[in-house]
Amino acid sequence: MSRLNSRPFTTPARLGWWPVFTWLLLGAATPALAADNATVSIGATVLSKNNCKFRYPGSATLAFGNIDPSSSANATASATLTFRCAGASPTVSYALSHNSGLYETGVNLNRMKHATLNAYLPYALTLTPSSGTVAKNVNQTITLTSTVTPAGFQNAAMGAYADTVVITLNP
């Protein structure tokens, strides 16, 4: 045999997995050093076994009518809404809330806007009862009461004022 034939010949099959492992470790890992992370927010809302819905009509109007600016008494308006709850429970606990309207200046700082001027009339809104328990499939009536104090209307510009408030009912 010649000397060339006496040397062992190394083929890729005889090298085994080391070159592949080294390539993977050094070559393929390099892009991982430039990898990025992402945050995934996961959430769910479990619905109540009960549901409450406003009865028709599901809207109300609080009409103050004409307010005399020389009056020293609060101007008040009231209306009612009715809702009914159904579902798995024989009684349902509920809670009512409202936003502060379209022209609010903060939480529970409701204001009505003048129809043509950049003028506002502050008012308060209460819901009675605002929470409680009601039997399943029984109508529950709530009273909406709104008040404008003399300090709010005595120097107000003459004209019509309006606002829209969303009332939320949670079983």
Side-chain angles (χ1 to χ4, degrees), residues 52 83 85 91-96 127-135 140 142 169-171:
C52 299
F83 67 90
C85 298
T91 58
V92 179
S93 295
Y94 68 91
L96 292 159
L127 310 173
T128 308
S130 61
S131 63
T133 304
V134 63
Q140 172 69 40
I142 59 166
L169 170 61
N170 290 307

Side-chain angles (χ1 to χ4, degrees), residues 3-162:
R3 195 166 197 205
L4 286 174
N5 289 338
S6 66
R7 288 188 187 161
F9 179 70
T10 305
T11 63
R14 294 186 87 191
L15 290 174
W17 55 273
W18 281 105
V20 175
F21 176 73
T22 304
W23 177 81
L24 287 174
L25 185 61
L26 298 175
T30 303
L33 296 175
D36 197 6
N37 295 317
T39 301
V40 177
S41 297
I42 300 172
T45 301
V46 176
L47 299 177
S48 172
K49 293 178 183 175
N50 303 298
N51 61 64
C52 299
K53 302 233 184 257
F54 285 106
R55 306 296 286 171
Y56 295 104
S59 62
T61 301
L62 291 165
F64 286 97
N66 296 325
I67 298 176
D68 181 356
S70 65
S71 175
S72 61
N74 289 343
T76 59
S78 63
T80 60
L81 284 173
T82 302
F83 67 90
R84 180 182 281 202
C85 298
S89 303
T91 58
V92 179
S93 295
Y94 68 91
L96 292 159
S97 61
H98 64 84
N99 69 0
S100 295
L102 300 174
Y103 311 106
E104 51 89 16
T105 58
V107 177
N108 292 325
L109 296 175
N110 307 42
R111 301 185 308 170
M112 292 179 273
K113 185 178 184 315
H114 191 280
T116 59
L117 302 174
N118 192 24
Y120 299 90
L121 190 60
Y123 68 95
L125 176 63
T126 58
L127 310 173
T128 308
S130 61
S131 63
T133 304
V134 63
K136 178 173 143 180
N137 295 323
V138 173
N139 286 346
Q140 172 69 40
T141 300
I142 59 166
T143 301
L144 294 74
T145 305
S146 188
T147 306
V148 179
T149 64
F153 64 72
Q154 285 178 340
N155 294 315
M158 179 182 79
Y161 292 80

